[in-house]
Amino acid sequence: MKKLLLLSSVLCLVATPAHAKEGMFTPDQLPEIAKDLRKTGLKLNPKSLTDLTAFPMGAVISLGGCTASFVSPQGLVVTNHHCVRGSVQFNSTKENNYLENGFLAKTMADELPAAPGSRIYVTLKVDDVTDTVTAGLDADMSGRERYDAIDAAKKSLIKACEADAGHRCQVPAFHGGLQYKLIKRLEIKDVRLTYAPADAIGKYGGDIDNWIWPRHTGDFAFYRAYVAPDGSSADFAKENIPFTPAHTLKVSAAGLDDGDFVMAAGYPGSTSRYARLGEVENTFEWLYPSFVTLMEDWIATIEATAPEGSDARIKYESRLAGLNNFLKNLYGQIDGARRVDLVGRRKMREAELDTWISEDKTRAGFADAITNLDVLSEESALKRRQGFYFNNATRPQLLGAAQRLYRLAQEKTKPDSKRESGYQERDMTFFKQGMSRINRRFDADVDKAEWLMFLKTYMARPAAERVPAFDKALGLGADFDEAVISAKLDTYYSQTKLADKETRLALMDADMATLESSTDPFMKLAHALFETRMKLEEQSKDRNGRSTVLRPQYMQAIIDWQKSKGYTAYPDANSTLRITYGNVLGGSPKDGLIYEPFTRLEGILAKDTGEDPFNAPKKQLELIKAGDYGKYKLRSIGSVPVNFLTDLDSTGGNSGSATMNAKGELVGLLFDGTFESVNSDWDFDPRTTRTIHVDTRYMLWVMEKLDGADNLLNEMTIVR
Amino acid sequence: MKKLLLLSSVLCLVATPAHAKEGMFTPDQLPEIAKDLRKTGLKLNPKSLTDLTAFPMGAVISLGGCTASFVSPQGLVVTNHHCVRGSVQFNSTKENNYLENGFLAKTMADELPAAPGSRIYVTLKVDDVTDTVTAGLDADMSGRERYDAIDAAKKSLIKACEADAGHRCQVPAFHGGLQYKLIKRLEIKDVRLTYAPADAIGKYGGDIDNWIWPRHTGDFAFYRAYVAPDGSSADFAKENIPFTPAHTLKVSAAGLDDGDFVMAAGYPGSTSRYARLGEVENTFEWLYPSFVTLMEDWIATIEATAPEGSDARIKYESRLAGLNNFLKNLYGQIDGARRVDLVGRRKMREAELDTWISEDKTRAGFADAITNLDVLSEESALKRRQGFYFNNATRPQLLGAAQRLYRLAQEKTKPDSKRESGYQERDMTFFKQGMSRINRRFDADVDKAEWLMFLKTYMARPAAERVPAFDKALGLGADFDEAVISAKLDTYYSQTKLADKETRLALMDADMATLESSTDPFMKLAHALFETRMKLEEQSKDRNGRSTVLRPQYMQAIIDWQKSKGYTAYPDANSTLRITYGNVLGGSPKDGLIYEPFTRLEGILAKDTGEDPFNAPKKQLELIKAGDYGKYKLRSIGSVPVNFLTDLDSTGGNSGSATMNAKGELVGLLFDGTFESVNSDWDFDPRTTRTIHVDTRYMLWVMEKLDGADNLLNEMTIVR
């Protein structure tokens, strides 16, 4: 009977597609949608979610690129396996291959330092600083002047905020600059690896199952946050103590059933839900198809130059995986846009907005702003098209390093507060890490083959897209003579010293004169390109400044228009904390096919081939065969649920987000979207957008039955 | 509410997997399973299905490799689009591209002759001739003698049967030789193309969707059978008249709903449901993996030698499609065997059979026979392994032609009745067609590249697998020196005359002496290999003869054992008429995923990219957008059903089978199985085996709304 309900709710979905829950709301928007939150099933007071320093939001933290949550008063942090995998890899050796075997610290003393640069950010305070940021603006300013004024205001706010040592502050724009917020976050720098199941659990299905449902990935792992004995942020040190979070999440062993209320809090990276038609068309008709060609060529070049089994291939595995991942995403984007008729729907939306604006003369200002915004967008798209192949032609890693080093020397001639973001003192830790990291992923032959491929496409472009300074410095003529150019590039790689890490690090202290007299070919090229780069940056800042006049007006129109229809317009994702809510829900990705909302342990048995990425641990297979579900069985599916689907609204950056039930207890971790959801970055299609979560019952089952992580099970508060 | 029922029956399936209907029954077995047939929903008297000359079986015919049905008294025949596509291609020109545009004869005068060799076989009579075939056998005979005795008896029966001109007879073995039947079929040689929708309907989804659900393929088309004015079988002639079938099927416009009774009658080609464990292991652990490697190498060789866009590629498209199809099938077989644990299940079955045998001393004979059968199977497998690479090394098309021509000359020295099957006078029409056909699919460079690739793998084998006569004739030493061998092969292609069709056809009349003095390199090689080939054939026939003692005993044990449990053991498929029955039924191919039983018109809209193979006609897309369902909507799915799933038991050769409802009305055409069903040739897994059909409502909708085939709609008897 339960089962019948399970499927009948899928059915309702098929019948009433508008069921799914679009919206990545900022916490302060929640009171506006309190009624729907309660109607959907939230049992907490919606207002409680708006306080980022209270339960449950106080427990939700950022890893920078991923989301995580505190699950014990001793600073235990749960997030996705794929968010901590770099740290597992960093600590792995041939003798102790934690990727293959998993890692579990049975005591705190056994914990390992996370990979360099790992951070935990605890949001402490969010203030609306729109007035401060925009105070110095006036209508007569050029785009460039506006950009500078806003930039200066933001830097000044950040500086004041970060005067409180151990904190990291930011001033992100919302609604394209309609609103600015100052976000103050505690920066925890001593992050340690506590527990990560083996790849055969945490990365089960690997790249093949990436974005795929049905899914059986145990994408969870644990860090622990450490601070100095006085409670302040500190680098790794033996005497550091576990951080005591203000709030933690209880972990549910009861979990969810089909149709239950669910919400997730996390840091989604970027969406384009309000992009104008022209931006959509430029992206889907030009940019994405160009990227597809680029990715296909790039992948083929790496595969040919770094054959399987070679040392070079090992260094490029991660880049290849990234390029393939992006390519798969592009295919999904393009296919999704076709399926939902993105262009047609955007046209319709803009027509409706135009009608609403035209209905009231006081809205005429919106119309002007939108017209000008479209002109500006077209200008930006043109610049993007013109620069696309030049940008590719300057991708070689050592050229990138040279350009950043030269820029650093130039920025250092200014006072810190005037320096470009990314080159201030507060950025130097990450800058140095960037300079150090290159060697692990660099092979001169592959880098050169990539460059040659990029140059070939660059040189096939019309004259208007060629950059004279670049052509002159590299001695590029009208035609691409592969042999000649290849020989020329060889001299770059044979003569450069930048492939050496210590050389690069030392050059972080060099002044402009030193770098300008460098005979290193990549540094000379960086110098030759500098003026061009700066000019392009100037133009970009000017467009950006002009956009801060127009886009806020466009977004205000959207907000007012939506409000007139009874909706709350949420801002596009910008890596700040958001809340999405909805229900556990299967779906129908295409005619004739239905996704069930849960997968089961038995699905692992059926998928398992014994070969990576479908090589579950033997012990796990035996436990499943024996039907040893422990306390974690979901009766309606007759097994332990492994992963589940919801209609939540998520994107990259949401990885690791706490998935909570109506009471704010942890019931899972958000870790992926289905392939049919990829296009939701542009247009949320309620019929097909589904988010994938790992179920806490599976997490607890693995911890108890497979990995014996009793210490962590005892440390967390597990509820039913 | 209907929808709820629809899905709840899928649900029942998930809960009770043993629901699906294994069994390809011979019509004479139906009375034995009459009770279950009625219980499942058949409204006709099961006995009526046993009479092949009565309704409805009298309407079901064979195209040789495909199945079809008569649907009008004027000899109108309906079958799959993919079964008539060769005839559409044969009649297509640049000006009249019927593949692209479809073909519809508005009157009989407009019909076009089908491709050469097209036949329609109407089964007239089936007699059990086991006694006659086995009359001359005695226990002392060698395997070779048994083989010859059986072969002679079969040839004699066929000769007598075919004395009735215009008929084609055969004596297939059932249950591995436990039973022989003489089947007499009218051979209709004047076959004409009446109507085939465009590829964009009939082949919608192409190779990408092959074996895939959800499916939206309009895999249907029409032939018409013609005979001489006196009603006898005749070659194409203008004065021929439409054949009047004894029975025809009514076409249902009401169709089926989820869970409804359904049956299909057709000519399934071959299954191995009763293969012994050793045969299974040899196949899945050695043969199929070897084929995978072979196919992958082969495909890569053709793709490299016949690059896309080349003339050679056009000639090899069909072979490439075939190899890729086989490779996809192999992947499905191997994956399916792993998923159902084929080896484990077969072990269990054999242990159960052994137990049953051991329970009664009178069954001891079975045990001995089975032991000996397993020894013989192992011997056959060893021979197969030893010959695998040699067989590949003799695959070049012109060598094949030379070998067949030389064999023909040799066979012609015997009286017709003593000749090897395939070389008798009755075979000469097809022999000639085979000799003619080569040129359309032959390119010397590609053929040579294939040969070189085959030789490379052959020469890498141990000495025991090398064939001295072959090595000597080709001058092959111990090592593979690509340049030397490549140069040698070049001389074969430069010197041979066998690439010329007329030369090959002329050589059909040459005697042995002429061929033995030929200087053609391929003919010389054929001559050099002849003795080896004959020796291998002798050994094979001997094993075959020995098998006819043992396998019938094994099958008798299976039959008796099954009977003791209340089941009727059906024989493995052997291209004879079979009936399978069950229900319209979705499925769950894997954990977390559900197949709905029907696809809808709207699915075409969602799939359509505008590019082959997802390029539905514009008019069709408009009709769908307009929701113009006509009289063909299935209320429970809210649209016109395109394809549907059943739990019927089918395999290659079933294509085009009449899918009938409980009253014997045509409700669809069987045309494929799902990817998860591929392995059912070895082991029917009721959880995942599903057969795919095109729905008559979609056929009628296309005919009425899209192609305006009113003449055919009027000609058929359409019922509701």
Side-chain angles (χ1 to χ4, degrees):
Chain A
M1 196 50 210
K2 260 282 192 187
K3 247 189 194 165
L4 196 68
L5 282 171
L6 167 92
L7 274 165
S8 66
S9 86
V10 168
L11 187 68
C12 296
L13 157 82
V14 178
T16 57
H19 193 260
K21 289 292 177 190
E22 175 174 357
M24 300 174 172
F25 297 96
T26 57
D28 59 297
Q29 289 186 306
L30 296 186
E32 290 178 57
I33 50 170
K35 207 172 145 187
D36 192 61
L37 267 165
R38 282 211 192 81
K39 195 180 129 202
T40 310
L42 179 68
K43 298 219 172 90
L44 297 173
N45 182 342
K47 266 199 178 161
S48 72
L49 298 174
T50 64
D51 186 350
L52 301 185
T53 57
F55 172 84
M57 288 301 139
V60 178
I61 53 192
S62 168
L63 303 180
C66 276
T67 305
S69 320
F70 285 121
V71 284
S72 97
Q74 288 85 45
L76 189 65
V77 166
V78 69
T79 184
N80 287 155
H81 182 273
H82 78 262
C83 297
V84 314
R85 195 169 177 272
S87 294
V88 182
Q89 192 162 25
F90 176 77
N91 285 291
S92 283
T93 59
K94 271 197 179 159
E95 294 71 40
N96 290 308
N97 190 336
Y98 299 130
L99 291 173
E100 204 172 306
N101 308 320
F103 171 78
L104 171 64
K106 292 294 271 182
T107 70
M108 288 189 196
D110 300 324
E111 289 170 343
L112 297 168
S118 298
R119 294 286 183 275
I120 288 173
Y121 299 104
V122 186
T123 300
L124 299 180
K125 212 161 172 282
V126 179
D127 292 310
D128 189 317
V129 291
T130 312
D131 290 347
T132 316
V133 171
T134 59
L137 304 181
D138 71 59
D140 298 333
M141 281 177 157
S142 72
R144 183 68 172 91
E145 287 163 344
R146 275 186 83 86
Y147 178 90
D148 284 343
I150 293 169
D151 193 46
K154 283 160 65 174
K155 280 178 181 152
S156 158
L157 283 164
I158 289 169
K159 193 175 176 186
C161 177
E162 291 184 357
D164 187 359
H167 294 79
R168 196 84 184 163
C169 304
Q170 55 181 186
V171 185
F174 292 77
H175 292 304
L178 184 63
Q179 198 181 29
Y180 292 91
K181 291 181 188 171
L182 172 64
I183 301 177
K184 181 177 181 181
R185 307 188 295 180
L186 175 67
E187 181 184 31
I188 294 178
K189 293 189 278 191
D190 186 354
V191 180
R192 301 188 195 172
L193 182 64
T194 304
Y195 165 51
D199 270 4
I201 297 278
K203 213 188 161 205
Y204 193 75
D207 293 335
I208 297 174
D209 270 6
N210 190 18
W211 282 316
I212 298 299
W213 186 262
R215 191 69 160 275
H216 300 83
T217 309
D219 201 350
F220 70 96
F222 291 84
Y223 271 154
R224 194 184 300 276
Y226 282 82
V227 287
D230 66 359
S232 68
S233 170
D235 285 323
F236 175 84
K238 233 187 152 179
E239 66 273 20
N240 284 352
I241 58 166
F243 172 72
T244 308
H247 298 280
T248 61
L249 297 184
K250 290 173 185 161
V251 179
S252 172
L256 302 165
D257 207 338
D258 187 22
D260 282 352
F261 173 88
V262 67
M263 62 180 172
Y267 293 83
S270 168
T271 56
S272 308
R273 298 265 167 83
Y274 305 104
R276 298 284 304 165
L277 175 64
E279 294 169 319
V280 167
E281 285 175 332
N282 269 305
T283 301
F284 285 86
E285 285 160 24
W286 180 82
L287 183 65
Y288 282 175
S290 301
F291 267 134
V292 165
T293 307
L294 176 68
M295 291 304 119
E296 288 173 344
D297 287 351
W298 198 345
I299 290 165
T301 300
I302 295 177
E303 286 181 341
T305 331
E308 222 158 321
S310 66
D311 285 352
R313 175 59 77 90
I314 295 167
K315 288 184 171 176
Y316 281 77
E317 275 304 358
S318 145
R319 167 164 289 180
L320 266 184
L323 295 176
N324 274 308
N325 188 38
F326 183 41
L327 184 59
K328 195 171 174 182
N329 183 294
L330 288 168
Y331 290 143
Q333 293 277 7
I334 292 168
D335 190 57
R338 178 195 62 73
R339 204 181 53 233
V340 305
D341 185 18
L342 176 58
V343 167
R345 278 167 58 90
R346 195 57 48 107
K347 273 183 190 160
M348 205 161 66
R349 187 172 85 186
E350 299 198 348
E352 285 171 17
L353 177 62
D354 288 349
T355 303
W356 176 81
I357 291 172
S358 68
E359 283 166 2
D360 185 334
K361 278 186 186 161
T362 66
R363 298 174 193 152
F366 288 147
D368 292 343
I370 288 172
T371 303
N372 290 330
L373 178 62
D374 287 346
V375 171
L376 176 60
S377 297
E378 203 43 60
E379 184 187 328
S380 299
L382 184 67
K383 283 286 169 189
R384 193 172 195 176
R385 282 203 291 272
Q386 284 179 341
F388 186 79
Y389 294 93
F390 169 62
N391 282 336
N392 290 335
T394 57
R395 279 183 190 271
Q397 294 192 59
L398 301 187
L399 177 56
Q403 290 185 297
R404 286 196 300 282
L405 286 167
Y406 187 80
R407 179 71 179 270
L408 178 62
Q410 190 260 355
E411 291 292 337
K412 277 186 174 171
T413 63
K414 310 177 200 165
D416 192 58
S417 65
K418 299 280 184 197
R419 288 189 209 164
E420 187 68 15
S421 178
Y423 295 90
Q424 294 183 292
E425 282 310 318
R426 66 192 286 274
D427 303 312
M428 284 306 105
T429 306
F430 286 103
F431 194 102
K432 193 172 165 185
Q433 272 159 11
M435 283 294 142
S436 302
R437 212 169 10 219
I438 292 175
N439 289 63
R440 284 194 298 156
R441 295 172 181 188
F442 175 80
D443 176 273
D445 290 340
V446 181
D447 202 68
K448 186 203 136 181
E450 290 175 343
W451 199 7
L452 200 60
M453 185 269 291
F454 294 138
L455 283 174
K456 190 173 181 176
T457 54
Y458 165 73
M459 291 182 67
R461 304 304 302 171
E465 296 184 25
R466 298 284 291 267
V467 174
F470 183 63
D471 291 359
K472 192 182 156 201
L474 260 177
L476 302 177
D479 299 318
F480 179 78
D481 183 328
E482 181 154 342
V484 171
I485 294 178
S486 175
K488 190 171 301 178
L489 300 193
D490 281 338
T491 65
Y492 275 75
Y493 292 92
S494 62
Q495 292 171 14
T496 188
K497 299 274 177 287
L498 290 178
D500 176 55
K501 172 177 150 186
E502 298 309 323
T503 304
R504 290 193 304 269
L505 292 178
L507 288 177
M508 282 181 64
D509 299 320
D511 62 13
M512 286 184 78
T514 308
L515 296 183
E516 281 168 15
S517 64
S518 166
T519 57
D520 193 287
F522 283 112
M523 190 55 77
K524 282 164 74 178
L525 186 54
H527 181 206
L529 288 178
F530 186 70
E531 240 179 275
T532 303
R533 281 275 176 225
M534 291 308 292
K535 209 177 115 193
L536 290 171
E537 191 176 299
E538 289 294 298
Q539 294 169 348
S540 163
K541 285 179 176 175
D542 183 66
R543 289 195 302 275
N544 191 309
R546 285 186 278 150
S547 157
T548 61
V549 183
L550 304 171
R551 203 171 290 269
Q553 294 184 67
Y554 163 56
M555 285 312 303
Q556 190 63 58
I558 290 273
I559 291 166
D560 294 352
W561 173 49
Q562 291 294 304
K563 200 170 185 173
S564 76
K565 299 200 293 177
Y567 297 119
T568 299
Y570 57 92
D572 260 323
N574 60 352
S575 296
T576 62
L577 189 60
R578 302 298 180 93
I579 294 165
T580 162
Y581 66 99
N583 301 86
V584 176
L585 193 66
S588 177
K590 51 181 90 170
D591 176 43
L593 206 60
I594 289 177
Y595 286 163
E596 286 188 277
F598 288 96
T599 54
R600 305 161 179 84
L601 284 186
E602 285 69 18
I604 297 171
L605 216 54
K607 251 183 193 179
D608 213 76
T609 62
E611 275 171 46
D612 178 46
F614 299 105
N615 54 342
K618 272 222 166 114
K619 188 177 167 191
Q620 184 180 25
L621 298 177
E622 279 157 21
L623 286 166
I624 299 172
K625 278 182 196 159
D628 188 354
Y629 302 142
K631 299 162 284 182
Y632 309 113
K633 180 173 166 177
L634 171 58
R635 202 172 298 172
S636 66
I637 65 165
S639 184
V640 175
V642 178
N643 291 164
F644 62 90
L645 288 180
T646 67
D647 57 358
L648 298 193
D649 190 357
S650 67
T651 189
N654 265 121
S655 279
S657 288
T659 307
M660 293 173 277
N661 63 14
K663 294 185 279 184
E665 295 160 352
L666 189 79
V667 288
L669 297 173
L670 192 163
F671 73 95
D672 206 0
T674 61
F675 189 69
E676 299 78 23
S677 308
V678 164
N679 190 253
S680 71
D681 281 357
W682 294 85
D683 191 357
F684 188 95
D685 179 7
R687 293 167 302 179
T688 53
T689 303
R690 292 295 178 276
T691 288
I692 307 177
H693 312 252
V694 55
D695 196 294
T696 41
R697 284 162 290 195
Y698 182 58
M699 292 164 53
L700 297 171
W701 183 85
V702 168
M703 293 172 79
E704 178 188 329
K705 300 278 175 182
L706 200 62
D707 287 344
D710 307 338
N711 52 325
L712 303 182
L713 293 172
N714 290 332
E715 185 180 336
M716 300 186 294
T717 304
I718 298 169
V719 293
R720 286 205 161 258
Chain B
M1 196 50 212
K2 260 282 192 187
K3 248 190 195 168
L4 196 69
L5 282 171
L6 166 92
L7 273 165
S8 66
S9 86
V10 169
L11 189 67
C12 297
L13 157 82
V14 177
T16 57
H19 194 260
K21 290 290 178 192
E22 175 174 356
M24 300 173 171
F25 298 96
T26 57
D28 60 298
Q29 289 186 306
L30 297 185
E32 289 177 57
I33 51 169
K35 208 172 144 186
D36 192 63
L37 266 165
R38 281 212 191 81
K39 195 180 127 201
T40 309
L42 179 69
K43 297 218 173 93
L44 297 174
N45 182 343
K47 265 199 181 161
S48 71
L49 298 174
T50 64
D51 186 350
L52 301 185
T53 56
F55 173 82
M57 288 301 138
V60 178
I61 52 191
S62 167
L63 302 179
C66 276
T67 304
S69 319
F70 285 122
V71 284
S72 96
Q74 287 85 46
L76 190 65
V77 166
V78 69
T79 185
N80 287 155
H81 182 272
H82 78 262
C83 297
V84 314
R85 193 167 178 273
S87 294
V88 182
Q89 193 162 23
F90 176 78
N91 284 291
S92 283
T93 59
K94 271 195 181 162
E95 294 70 40
N96 289 309
N97 190 336
Y98 299 130
L99 291 173
E100 206 172 305
N101 308 321
F103 171 78
L104 171 64
K106 293 295 270 183
T107 69
M108 288 189 197
D110 300 323
E111 290 169 341
L112 297 168
S118 299
R119 293 284 183 277
I120 289 172
Y121 298 104
V122 186
T123 301
L124 299 180
K125 210 159 173 282
V126 179
D127 292 310
D128 189 319
V129 291
T130 312
D131 290 347
T132 315
V133 171
T134 59
L137 305 180
D138 73 58
D140 299 332
M141 280 176 158
S142 72
R144 183 68 172 92
E145 286 164 346
R146 275 188 82 86
Y147 178 90
D148 284 343
I150 293 169
D151 191 49
K154 283 159 66 175
K155 280 179 180 150
S156 158
L157 282 164
I158 289 169
K159 192 174 177 187
C161 177
E162 291 183 358
D164 188 358
H167 294 79
R168 196 82 183 164
C169 304
Q170 55 182 190
V171 185
F174 292 76
H175 291 305
L178 184 63
Q179 197 180 31
Y180 293 91
K181 291 181 187 170
L182 172 65
I183 301 178
K184 182 178 181 180
R185 307 189 295 181
L186 176 67
E187 180 184 31
I188 294 177
K189 293 188 277 190
D190 186 354
V191 179
R192 301 188 195 173
L193 183 64
T194 304
Y195 165 51
D199 269 5
I201 298 278
K203 213 189 162 204
Y204 193 74
D207 292 337
I208 297 174
D209 270 6
N210 189 18
W211 281 317
I212 298 298
W213 185 262
R215 192 69 160 274
H216 300 83
T217 309
D219 201 350
F220 70 96
F222 291 83
Y223 271 155
R224 195 183 299 277
Y226 282 82
V227 287
D230 66 358
S232 67
S233 169
D235 285 323
F236 175 85
K238 233 187 153 178
E239 66 273 22
N240 284 352
I241 58 166
F243 173 72
T244 307
H247 298 280
T248 61
L249 296 183
K250 290 171 184 161
V251 179
S252 173
L256 302 165
D257 207 337
D258 187 23
D260 282 352
F261 173 88
V262 66
M263 63 180 172
Y267 294 83
S270 168
T271 56
S272 307
R273 298 265 168 83
Y274 304 105
R276 299 285 304 165
L277 176 64
E279 294 168 320
V280 167
E281 285 175 334
N282 269 305
T283 301
F284 284 87
E285 285 160 24
W286 180 82
L287 183 65
Y288 282 175
S290 302
F291 266 134
V292 165
T293 308
L294 176 68
M295 291 305 118
E296 289 173 345
D297 288 352
W298 198 345
I299 289 165
T301 300
I302 295 177
E303 287 180 342
T305 332
E308 223 158 320
S310 66
D311 285 352
R313 175 60 76 89
I314 296 167
K315 288 184 170 176
Y316 280 76
E317 276 304 358
S318 145
R319 167 165 288 181
L320 266 183
L323 296 176
N324 275 309
N325 188 39
F326 183 41
L327 184 59
K328 195 170 176 183
N329 182 293
L330 287 168
Y331 290 143
Q333 293 277 8
I334 292 169
D335 190 57
R338 179 194 62 71
R339 204 181 53 233
V340 304
D341 185 19
L342 176 58
V343 166
R345 280 167 57 90
R346 195 56 50 108
K347 273 183 190 158
M348 206 161 67
R349 186 172 85 186
E350 299 199 348
E352 285 170 17
L353 177 61
D354 288 350
T355 304
W356 177 80
I357 291 173
S358 68
E359 283 166 1
D360 185 333
K361 279 186 185 162
T362 66
R363 297 173 193 152
F366 289 145
D368 291 343
I370 287 172
T371 303
N372 290 330
L373 178 62
D374 287 346
V375 171
L376 176 60
S377 298
E378 203 44 60
E379 183 187 328
S380 298
L382 183 69
K383 284 286 169 189
R384 192 171 196 176
R385 281 203 292 272
Q386 285 179 343
F388 186 79
Y389 294 93
F390 169 62
N391 281 337
N392 290 335
T394 56
R395 278 183 190 271
Q397 295 192 59
L398 301 187
L399 177 56
Q403 290 186 297
R404 286 196 301 282
L405 286 167
Y406 187 80
R407 179 71 180 270
L408 177 62
Q410 190 260 355
E411 292 292 337
K412 276 187 176 171
T413 62
K414 309 176 201 166
D416 191 58
S417 66
K418 299 280 184 196
R419 288 190 209 164
E420 187 68 16
S421 178
Y423 296 90
Q424 293 183 292
E425 282 311 317
R426 68 192 284 276
D427 303 312
M428 284 307 102
T429 306
F430 286 102
F431 193 101
K432 194 172 165 185
Q433 271 159 11
M435 283 293 142
S436 303
R437 210 168 10 216
I438 293 176
N439 289 62
R440 284 195 298 156
R441 295 172 181 187
F442 175 81
D443 175 273
D445 290 339
V446 181
D447 202 68
K448 186 202 135 179
E450 292 176 342
W451 199 8
L452 201 60
M453 185 267 292
F454 294 138
L455 282 174
K456 190 173 181 176
T457 55
Y458 165 72
M459 290 181 69
R461 305 303 301 171
E465 295 184 24
R466 298 283 291 268
V467 174
F470 183 62
D471 292 359
K472 194 181 154 201
L474 260 176
L476 302 177
D479 300 319
F480 179 78
D481 182 330
E482 181 154 342
V484 170
I485 294 178
S486 175
K488 190 170 302 177
L489 300 193
D490 281 338
T491 64
Y492 274 76
Y493 292 92
S494 62
Q495 291 172 13
T496 188
K497 299 274 177 288
L498 289 178
D500 175 55
K501 173 177 149 186
E502 297 310 322
T503 303
R504 290 193 303 270
L505 292 178
L507 288 178
M508 282 181 65
D509 299 321
D511 61 14
M512 286 182 77
T514 308
L515 296 184
E516 281 166 18
S517 63
S518 166
T519 57
D520 193 287
F522 283 112
M523 190 55 77
K524 281 165 75 179
L525 187 53
H527 182 207
L529 288 178
F530 186 70
E531 238 178 276
T532 303
R533 281 274 178 227
M534 291 308 291
K535 208 176 113 192
L536 291 171
E537 190 176 300
E538 290 293 298
Q539 294 169 349
S540 163
K541 285 179 175 174
D542 183 68
R543 290 196 300 276
N544 191 307
R546 285 185 279 150
S547 157
T548 60
V549 183
L550 304 172
R551 203 172 289 271
Q553 293 185 68
Y554 163 56
M555 286 310 303
Q556 189 63 59
I558 289 272
I559 291 166
D560 293 353
W561 173 50
Q562 291 294 305
K563 200 169 186 175
S564 75
K565 300 201 291 179
Y567 297 120
T568 299
Y570 57 92
D572 262 321
N574 60 352
S575 295
T576 63
L577 188 60
R578 302 297 179 94
I579 294 166
T580 162
Y581 66 98
N583 301 86
V584 176
L585 193 67
S588 177
K590 51 181 88 169
D591 176 42
L593 207 60
I594 290 176
Y595 286 163
E596 287 189 277
F598 287 96
T599 55
R600 305 161 179 82
L601 283 186
E602 285 70 17
I604 297 171
L605 215 54
K607 252 183 192 178
D608 213 76
T609 61
E611 275 171 46
D612 178 45
F614 299 105
N615 54 342
K618 273 224 167 110
K619 187 176 168 191
Q620 183 180 26
L621 297 176
E622 279 157 22
L623 286 167
I624 299 172
K625 278 182 197 158
D628 188 354
Y629 302 143
K631 298 164 282 181
Y632 309 112
K633 180 173 166 177
L634 170 58
R635 200 172 300 171
S636 66
I637 65 165
S639 184
V640 175
V642 178
N643 292 163
F644 62 90
L645 288 180
T646 66
D647 58 357
L648 298 193
D649 189 358
S650 67
T651 190
N654 266 121
S655 280
S657 287
T659 306
M660 293 173 276
N661 63 13
K663 293 186 278 184
E665 295 159 354
L666 190 78
V667 288
L669 297 174
L670 192 163
F671 73 94
D672 206 0
T674 62
F675 189 68
E676 299 78 22
S677 307
V678 164
N679 188 254
S680 71
D681 281 356
W682 294 85
D683 191 357
F684 188 94
D685 179 6
R687 293 168 303 178
T688 53
T689 303
R690 292 294 179 276
T691 287
I692 308 176
H693 311 251
V694 55
D695 196 295
T696 41
R697 284 162 291 195
Y698 182 58
M699 291 163 53
L700 295 171
W701 183 85
V702 168
M703 292 172 79
E704 178 188 326
K705 299 278 175 181
L706 200 63
D707 287 344
D710 307 339
N711 52 326
L712 303 182
L713 293 172
N714 290 333
E715 184 180 337
M716 299 186 293
T717 304
I718 297 169
V719 292
R720 287 205 160 257

